[in-house]
Amino acid sequence: MKISELLKYLEYKSFYGDAETQITGLCADSEKISEGDLFFCYKGKDHDSHDFARDAEKRGAVALVCERKLDCPLPQIIVNSGRGSIATAARAFFGFADKKLKLIGVTGTNGKTTTTFMLESIFKTAGKSVGVIGTLGISYAEKFVSPELTTPDPIFLHSIFADMVNCGVGYVFMEVSAHALYFNKIAGLHYEVGIFTNCTQDHLDFFGNMHDYAESKKLMFREGRCGYAVVNTDDALGRELLSGVKNAVGYGLKNPADVFAVDVREKIDGSDFVINLFDELYDIHLNVPALHNVYNAMGAAACAKILKIETDDIAKGLKNLKTVAGRLEHVAKYNGADIFVDFAHTPDGLEKSLQSLKKFCRGKLYCLFGCGGNRDKSKRPIMGGIVAKYADLCIVTSDNPRYEDPYDIISDIEAGIKPTGRRYVTVTERETATEYAINLLEKDDILLVAGKGGEYYQEIMGIKHSYNDNAVIKKIIG
């Protein structure tokens, strides 16, 4: 693509250089430049990539997008926001592949991954070609790309869209994170349906307060972004969206909704209920447990029905989903006890999972968990208090300490447990803690290993060490 072609789509203040320069790629990381790339410069939290323009030139960049004129001989497109221009440029460079796909976006604190997997199962059952983008990676057309970010950065995202089109994909179910919305990584995308699951405490290290965090979620439903909005009416922000967004429909159990469930029968290995799907009644069976997955199923069902999927295929698709990696996943039985792994890393997510397991626990309920380093510290004592409320014993350990001292993180968690007087132990090394917890188990007990879910690493001092809760548990029990 020539710069002159790209300029048709970019909002820019000025241009310097040869507009006939050929661009063969896009890049926003100077260390990953390939010959022929257009390099994007912008000021970030810790670094200003304008400082790396010369380095990008040496590595093969042929032009720059920047926020100010630089002392560099390369052609330069001057824009108001370098970061904000990436998505627009990527859409154009990859031929607006997103327009050839039916996009469905899922946002919310918890439930995004499970909802996208439910949608994938429903649409595959209906004979559709689909792709999934989210926390557990990217999958489509027998391809799988390992996860990096919940919502990929725009250049990679649009390259994936282009390949999906080439592979004949029709529908794409993607998780849309609060950070992606804040940084407008999805600029220009139109979603057939946007689903809102819930808004509870998370990412306050970045957003600072719940108001600003909620405002970022609302960006998903700004004018023109979604054809339909499917929102949880049992969430305060969901009710606000229902009354303020065009073409919004609601799902829930406690408040009036277009889609709701009755006769809910929860079991340790799933749930049965009757769904009222826009006044059509149908029996639903889920193989994934917990009431919060009934909510996820209702959101997925509402979306599918809006997109003209037959109710029979919706029910079969939900039933066909056997598990979602690391989402209240039953991974083993040991000594007559059940062991679950869950991604629950927020106060609300952890409480919902513990509430669900407590209903079926005839012995003791154990919970092993930790909190991530260099993230929202305020949720640590809250989560400690939640575990103390529901579990007979908490085992507090490490979970991606990053650049923090694991002992400091554990101490923050302890501050929420100690006032309750409940029993707990601390074991800093996660695998040792897991072995300790497993050795406590007796018949009818339940162990919840929470926080990491399907992750395959433990991040310590900038290094991601290979680690997976599921694999460690199976190794310990042999």
Side-chain angles (χ1 to χ4, degrees):
M1 173 182 269
K2 293 179 181 178
I3 291 179
S4 57
E5 296 174 59
L6 188 62
L7 290 176
K8 297 174 185 176
Y9 305 103
L10 282 178
E11 291 186 11
Y12 64 99
K13 295 191 292 186
S14 54
F15 173 72
Y16 302 93
D18 183 4
E20 297 306 297
T21 300
Q22 195 76 28
I23 299 164
T24 57
L26 309 176
C27 189
D29 183 342
S30 63
E31 294 185 353
K32 297 179 180 178
I33 289 282
S34 296
E35 189 73 34
D37 278 356
L38 171 67
F39 179 62
F40 292 84
C41 302
Y42 57 89
K43 185 171 176 54
K45 181 182 177 183
D46 300 315
H47 302 286
D48 186 341
S49 53
H50 291 83
D51 298 337
F52 302 101
R54 282 287 193 176
D55 187 45
E57 178 193 5
K58 291 176 184 176
R59 292 172 182 264
V62 295
L64 306 174
V65 171
C66 39
E67 296 168 355
R68 60 180 184 270
K69 181 76 166 64
L70 299 177
D71 182 18
C72 180
L74 295 181
Q76 297 176 39
I77 305 169
I78 312 302
V79 297
N80 287 319
S81 170
R83 187 197 293 272
S85 301
I86 298 175
T88 304
R91 286 189 78 216
F93 184 83
F94 289 103
F96 297 94
D98 58 281
K99 290 184 177 181
K100 302 164 190 173
L101 300 163
K102 292 187 182 299
L103 304 181
I104 293 88
V106 185
T107 195
T109 307
N110 299 310
K112 296 187 296 295
T113 301
T114 300
T115 302
T116 58
F117 274 70
M118 286 178 169
L119 285 164
E120 178 191 38
S121 185
I122 290 168
F123 278 70
K124 279 187 173 180
T125 299
K128 308 298 183 182
S129 176
V130 305
V132 175
I133 299 173
T135 310
L136 294 181
I138 301 170
S139 59
Y140 63 99
E142 307 303 321
K143 297 184 179 184
F144 177 76
V145 181
S146 296
E148 287 192 7
L149 296 171
T150 298
T151 308
D153 284 327
I155 296 170
F156 183 52
L157 177 63
H158 286 278
S159 72
I160 289 292
F161 285 157
D163 194 48
M164 284 179 168
V165 170
N166 291 336
C167 292
V169 171
Y171 295 83
V172 181
F173 310 111
M174 61 180 291
E175 299 179 45
V176 184
S177 69
H179 290 79
L181 289 162
Y182 178 85
F183 288 118
N184 205 18
K185 291 183 182 181
I186 61 169
L189 297 185
H190 175 77
Y191 294 93
E192 303 294 320
V193 179
I195 302 175
F196 169 75
T197 60
N198 47 61
C199 183
T200 61
Q201 182 174 338
D202 200 15
H203 303 305
L204 297 193
D205 54 301
F206 181 85
F207 291 100
N209 57 71
M210 284 300 296
H211 174 269
D212 289 351
Y213 177 48
E215 287 298 307
S216 74
K217 294 292 185 191
K218 288 162 68 173
L219 293 172
M220 180 70 189
F221 303 98
R222 73 184 190 188
E223 184 73 27
R225 178 159 277 169
C226 299
Y228 288 87
V230 173
V231 303
N232 178 359
T233 60
D234 292 340
D235 182 277
L237 182 57
R239 291 190 294 277
E240 181 183 338
L241 292 169
L242 186 65
S243 62
V245 175
K246 281 185 180 179
N247 297 330
V249 300
Y251 67 93
L253 296 177
K254 301 173 184 175
N255 291 288
D258 303 280
V259 177
F260 57 92
V262 295
D263 192 22
V264 179
R265 289 147 284 153
E266 294 182 72
K267 298 175 290 185
I268 196 169
D269 58 353
S271 298
D272 292 284
F273 59 95
V274 177
I275 193 169
N276 184 312
L277 188 58
F278 303 108
D279 294 329
E280 182 180 356
L281 302 179
Y282 216 93
D283 289 318
I284 302 292
H285 172 75
L286 299 179
N287 292 301
V288 288
L291 192 62
H292 58 262
N293 280 321
V294 174
Y295 276 88
N296 294 331
M298 290 190 293
C303 172
K305 194 66 177 175
I306 288 169
L307 295 175
K308 309 300 183 187
I309 301 298
E310 296 292 333
T311 307
D312 187 54
D313 286 331
I314 293 172
K316 287 178 181 175
L318 290 172
K319 185 177 181 179
N320 288 343
L321 182 66
K322 301 305 179 186
T323 190
V324 180
R327 270 57 182 180
L328 207 56
E329 179 186 8
H330 186 276
V331 297
K333 281 190 83 76
Y334 181 75
N335 277 356
D338 293 285
I339 304 175
F340 289 83
V341 166
D342 193 31
F343 187 50
H345 62 290
T346 67
D348 179 66
L350 188 58
E351 183 164 35
K352 284 178 177 172
S353 292
L354 286 168
Q355 281 177 336
S356 295
L357 294 177
K358 189 76 171 176
K359 295 174 186 176
F360 310 110
C361 188
R362 293 176 293 168
K364 291 182 178 178
L365 177 59
Y366 297 94
C367 180
L368 180 151
F369 82 110
C371 291
N374 303 108
R375 297 293 186 267
D376 179 11
K377 293 184 179 182
S378 67
K379 71 181 181 182
R380 295 172 185 172
I382 297 171
M383 292 174 69
I386 287 169
V387 177
K389 178 180 177 181
Y390 293 98
D392 295 286
L393 178 69
C394 340
I395 301 96
V396 186
T397 188
S398 295
D399 181 350
N400 293 333
R402 299 184 177 89
Y403 292 97
E404 277 196 75
D405 187 327
Y407 292 100
D408 292 340
I409 299 172
I410 289 172
S411 179
D412 288 341
I413 295 170
E414 285 181 293
I417 303 174
K418 287 178 178 177
T420 70
R422 296 299 292 268
R423 295 174 57 224
Y424 75 96
V425 297
T426 64
V427 184
T428 308
E429 207 279 316
R430 193 174 179 93
E431 184 168 348
T432 304
T434 304
E435 185 169 12
Y436 171 82
I438 288 173
N439 287 332
L440 295 173
L441 296 177
E442 297 179 353
K443 190 176 186 305
D444 295 329
D445 291 344
I446 293 178
L447 168 63
L448 174 64
V449 179
K452 298 187 70 61
E455 286 181 352
Y456 279 87
Y457 62 87
Q458 179 84 304
E459 187 176 347
I460 304 170
M461 298 302 291
I463 300 172
K464 290 185 175 181
H465 303 268
S466 178
Y467 191 93
N468 176 257
D469 279 333
N470 196 322
V472 166
I473 289 165
K474 290 179 176 178
K475 182 180 84 170
I476 290 168
I477 67 176

